[in-house]
Amino acid sequence: MCRLLGWVAQPGLTLRTALGDDNYPAFTELSRIHADGWGIAYAADEDLNVRKSPAVASADPEFAALSSYAATEAAVAHLRWATPGLPVEQRNTHPFRYGDSAFAHNGGIYPLDRLPRLLTPQWQARLTGMTDSEHYYLAIMAEVEDNGVDLPTAIVRVTAHLADAYFPSSLNAMLLTADALYVISCYDPTVRPVLPQPRPSTDGTPMAPRESDETYFDLRYRRTEQSVLVASSGFPQPTAAGWELLPNNSVLVINRTTMHCEELPLNVQLQASGTASRPR
């Protein structure tokens, strides 16, 4: 389980300015619970950069520096709480990169020992780590490259397959490409994560009150004239401040050039019983 943050902005924004002075400390503090690494994928001119570390973000000077000085027109940030059984290592830290795209995921896909069935041997050879999340990502990219479909169609197909053949707690994810930011909201609303105890702060600051487990998987977005910001729960996102709930079982597509937002249906439902079904 993890925390996700993404934005598209004109002109470019840093992570700190995208969140604002009130929400940046609150988001960073979440890394004391989601303490198994951090990563940021961000556009730099025509290039895509990915910086990540298995360290705790709130205690890592590199995270603070990157958050404050890397202004970008599009980015995805991730705070990791590792799926049980998956090591806390650099290679398993999100976001993952393939070509000119990057991907970060919040949730677990079970059983882990069946994950290799998601990918052909050719695609398995492209894995950089061993996470369920990277398997999910490359399965989407394989649909695009091997079957010639567009990215929204690939996302629908892969989430439907995962719902039918696996037991995901959540398929919430962000996929950044040269053209758009795709935000996937797809989770089992009955899952109540048991959050770990927070890591001690470097200065002894007490942890702020924890987020509600009933809204843990909620994704919200806020539009202004200059930016669109999308985030997991865990810090204040009031409707009065312009935050909108992204419905479960949908994909938000944010055009990087126009900042136009479109919500697309997924027609996938993860079931409370541990099974999953897809309307046919």
Side-chain angles (χ1 to χ4, degrees), residues 31 36 52 59 67 96 190 203 207 241 245-246 262 270:
S31 70
D36 295 326
K52 54 187 181 179
S67 298
F96 302 100
T190 69
D203 59 3
M207 185 74 189
L245 179 67
L246 177 60
E262 182 180 8
L270 308 187

Side-chain angles (χ1 to χ4, degrees), residues 52-278:
K52 54 187 181 179
S53 167
V56 179
S58 60
D60 191 338
E62 184 181 5
F63 176 83
L66 193 63
S67 298
S68 299
Y69 301 116
T72 176
E73 63 183 25
V76 169
H78 183 271
L79 303 176
R80 186 183 182 214
W81 170 17
T83 299
L86 296 178
V88 178
E89 299 174 344
Q90 179 79 10
R91 63 179 182 149
N92 290 336
T93 306
H94 307 220
F96 302 100
R97 178 177 181 173
Y98 178 74
D100 62 355
S101 68
F103 180 89
H105 168 225
N106 170 32
I109 304 170
Y110 306 99
L112 294 176
D113 61 5
R114 291 214 321 249
L115 287 174
R117 302 181 191 179
L118 267 178
L119 303 173
T120 65
Q122 291 79 7
W123 281 93
Q124 288 178 29
R126 295 168 182 165
L127 289 166
T128 59
M130 55 189 297
T131 63
D132 47 348
S133 304
E134 192 177 15
H135 281 77
Y136 174 18
Y137 175 33
L138 291 186
I140 293 173
M141 303 315 294
E143 276 292 322
V144 173
E145 293 193 11
D146 294 351
N147 296 320
V149 301
D150 60 22
L151 197 48
T153 300
I155 289 170
V156 170
R157 288 184 180 180
V158 171
T159 54
H161 175 66
L162 290 170
D164 278 344
Y166 294 82
F167 306 122
S169 60
S170 166
L171 298 174
N172 285 3
M174 293 186 179
L175 175 53
L176 180 63
T177 73
D179 301 315
L181 173 61
Y182 297 83
V183 183
I184 303 166
S185 176
C186 183
Y187 58 89
D188 182 344
T190 69
V191 170
R192 299 289 185 265
V194 180
L195 299 178
Q197 290 297 315
R199 302 281 182 91
S201 69
T202 54
D203 59 3
T205 303
M207 185 74 189
R210 296 192 188 189
E211 60 197 295
S212 167
D213 60 3
E214 295 183 358
T215 60
Y216 181 83
F217 291 114
D218 284 358
L219 289 163
R220 289 181 170 83
Y221 63 104
R222 183 184 67 195
R223 292 179 280 189
T224 68
E225 290 184 359
Q226 292 189 322
S227 67
V228 183
L229 177 67
V230 192
S232 300
S233 63
F235 62 89
Q237 299 165 0
T239 303
W243 288 94
E244 304 175 53
L245 179 67
L246 177 60
N248 189 10
N249 200 22
S250 67
V251 180
L252 177 67
V253 184
I254 309 168
N255 185 291
R256 284 182 51 178
T257 301
T258 66
M259 294 192 299
H260 173 74
C261 297
E262 182 180 8
E263 292 181 12
L264 305 175
L266 271 177
N267 296 324
V268 175
Q269 294 180 346
L270 308 187
Q271 302 298 303
S273 63
T275 60
S277 67
R278 169 167 52 94

Side-chain angles (χ1 to χ4, degrees), residues 42-49 97 256:
Y42 61 99
D45 297 322
E46 299 299 320
D47 297 325
L48 178 68
N49 288 348
R97 178 177 181 173
R256 284 182 51 178

